Amino acid sequence: MPSRKATSNDVAAAAGVSRSAVSFAFNNPQRISVATRERILAAAERLGYTPDPLGRMLRAGTTNSIGVLLPQRLAWILENPYYSRFLMGAGQVCDQEGYTLLLTPPLQDSVLKAIPYAAVDGFIVCGLEADRGEVAELSRRGMPFVLIDSDRVPGAPSVEVDDRGGAREVARYLLDLGHRRLAVLSMDPGAAVTERGYRGPLARRMAGIADALAERDLTMADVRLVEAPVTRAEGYRATRDLMAGGHAPTAILALSDILAYGAVDALQELAIKVPSEVSVTGFDDLSESAWFRPRLTTVRQPIVTKGRMAAEFLISAIRGEEQHPHQVLDTSLIVRESTIKPA
C-alpha cells in the first residue's frame, strides 16, 4: 500500500503549531515570526508536504495563468510554426511577469465548451469572430480577454496586422511582374464561415487582393481560388488538384507560408520549376522561409511582437490597469527567389 500523503494537520502537529499557522507559512509569511515559519517549513520538508495548488488558487481568487483560446485542434496548431512564434512572444511576457501560459484548444470540437474548464485569469482569443458565442460568454463571465486576428469588439483590447495592405502589396507585386494567370491558395474558412462569407484576417486579405486586381481592371473572378486547411500536406494536396486542371496558373499566391511550402512541394514533385514556370508567394515570413528552397517571397508580419503585445494587453486588463486601444501592426513585402516574371 502506498503511504498516506501528508496533510497540513500533520505538519501542524509535527511543528507544534496550529493549522492556521501552517497556512500563514505558505501564503502569508508576514503574519508569523521567522522562527515559526522556519520550523513549519522544516517539518513540511521532513514529511514531504506541499500545499495543494488548486486550493491556493481558490483561496487567492487568481491563478497567475493566462489562457490562449485556440480556434483549431491542438495537433493542427502545433504543426503550424506561426503559433510557435506567437507563443514565443506571449511566453516572453509571461516569464517576465510571473504568469504561466495555458493552451486551450476546442473541447469536443467546441471552443465554447473549453472555456469553463480552463483555470486562468483571462484569455488571448485567437481568430474568432466577434459575434460568436465565445466572445459573448467571456463578456458574461466578466473575464478579461484580448482578441487576436479577429473582428473588433467595443471596449475589448485587440491586436491584428495590416492584412489587407500586405495582401494588396504582394498581389500588386505579382501583377507588376506581368502575371495574369493567378491562383489564390487560401486557408479553409470552414463550412459555417463559408455560408456567411469570409471574416476577420481572411476577409481582409481577400479584400487586399481584390484591391490590387481592380487597379488592373480585373476582379476575383479572374483568379482561381482554392481553399485548404493550414498544413503543409494540405497545401501540397490543393496544389496537385489545382495543377491537374486546365489553364494552369503562372503564379500561386498562398495566404500562409505553410500553404506555400506545400505548394512548392507539389510543383517540384510534378517537375514544374519554381519560379521559372510558376512563381509562389506566402504570407507570414516564418523563419524557414529565408532558407527554404527556393527562398520564399512572402509578406512579413511581426508574429512575435503580436504575441508579446497580446500578453501585455491581457495582463494589464487582469490587473485592472488602463485598457489598451485596438492595435494594427504593419506588414512588409519580402522579395526572395520564388518569384520572377512569367515565361
Side-chain angles (χ1 to χ4, degrees):
M1 291 287 292
S3 59
R4 181 177 65 87
K5 184 178 179 180
T7 66
S8 59
N9 285 332
D10 297 328
V11 176
V17 298
S18 68
R19 184 178 175 184
S20 296
V22 175
S23 177
F24 293 153
F26 287 97
N27 301 306
N28 301 102
Q30 69 276 7
R31 299 189 61 175
I32 57 177
S33 69
V34 174
T36 300
R37 182 170 187 265
E38 290 178 351
R39 189 165 75 252
I40 292 170
L41 295 180
E45 185 176 0
R46 287 197 309 273
L47 296 172
Y49 168 80
T50 54
D52 176 22
L54 180 58
R56 294 182 68 178
M57 287 189 295
L58 291 173
R59 288 190 295 272
T62 182
T63 66
N64 271 26
S65 179
I66 62 176
V68 181
L69 201 58
L70 299 166
Q72 298 173 328
R73 298 174 186 176
L74 193 57
W76 290 356
I77 293 294
L78 295 177
E79 189 175 349
N80 189 344
Y82 165 87
Y83 280 101
S84 66
R85 302 287 294 170
F86 178 83
L87 294 172
M88 179 191 301
Q92 290 171 354
V93 175
C94 287
D95 289 343
Q96 177 182 324
E97 299 296 333
Y99 279 75
T100 57
L101 197 62
L102 176 69
L103 301 186
T104 309
L107 179 63
Q108 299 173 346
D109 291 327
S110 169
V111 179
L112 186 61
K113 290 180 181 178
I115 292 174
Y117 290 93
V120 297
D121 297 329
F123 277 109
I124 297 172
V125 182
C126 295
L128 295 180
E129 295 81 30
D131 58 358
R132 282 186 45 154
E134 294 85 358
V135 174
E137 176 64 12
L138 291 172
S139 298
R140 186 188 69 81
R141 289 171 171 264
M143 178 169 283
F145 63 91
V146 175
L147 295 169
I148 304 300
D149 295 333
S150 182
D151 299 323
R152 302 184 187 185
V153 174
S158 57
V159 184
E160 66 182 56
V161 301
D162 183 11
D163 291 290
R164 185 167 186 163
R168 182 193 305 117
E169 190 174 12
V170 69
R172 182 184 290 154
Y173 166 72
L174 289 173
L175 291 166
D176 286 346
L177 285 177
H179 292 281
R180 292 297 180 270
R181 300 203 323 256
L182 298 178
V184 175
L185 180 52
S186 167
M187 57 279 284
D188 186 357
V193 175
T194 302
E195 293 171 2
R196 297 174 295 162
Y198 292 123
R199 307 291 294 273
L202 184 52
R204 294 190 286 271
R205 293 182 193 183
M206 289 295 187
I209 295 169
D211 291 342
L213 291 169
E215 295 171 357
R216 303 299 179 107
D217 294 322
L218 301 171
T219 70
M220 291 298 293
D222 296 306
V223 304
R224 296 183 63 183
L225 174 64
V226 289
E227 299 171 342
V230 187
T231 68
R232 188 165 180 166
E234 290 297 332
Y236 164 88
R237 180 200 58 76
T239 303
R240 292 276 307 198
D241 293 344
L242 174 68
M243 302 307 293
H247 200 64
T250 62
I252 296 175
L253 194 163
L255 295 186
S256 82
D257 282 6
I258 292 295
L259 290 175
Y261 300 158
V264 173
D265 291 340
L267 293 170
Q268 290 177 340
E269 186 173 277
L270 292 168
I272 298 173
K273 297 177 181 178
V274 180
S276 59
E277 294 179 82
V278 177
S279 292
V280 178
T281 64
F283 198 112
D284 288 330
D285 194 29
L286 302 175
S287 300
E288 184 180 351
S289 298
W291 51 267
F292 187 77
R293 293 295 183 271
R295 293 180 176 89
L296 187 66
T297 294
T298 187
V299 176
R300 174 177 293 166
Q301 62 162 311
I303 304 171
V304 176
T305 299
K306 187 196 296 184
R308 189 164 56 243
M309 192 171 291
E312 289 172 348
F313 285 11
L314 180 56
I315 292 173
S316 290
I318 290 169
R319 292 172 175 170
E321 298 170 356
E322 182 179 356
Q323 291 294 290
H324 294 272
H326 182 78
Q327 182 72 46
V328 180
L329 304 175
D330 290 335
T331 59
S332 57
L333 177 65
I334 306 300
V335 176
R336 297 193 180 102
E337 300 166 356
S338 66
T339 48
I340 59 172
K341 293 181 179 181

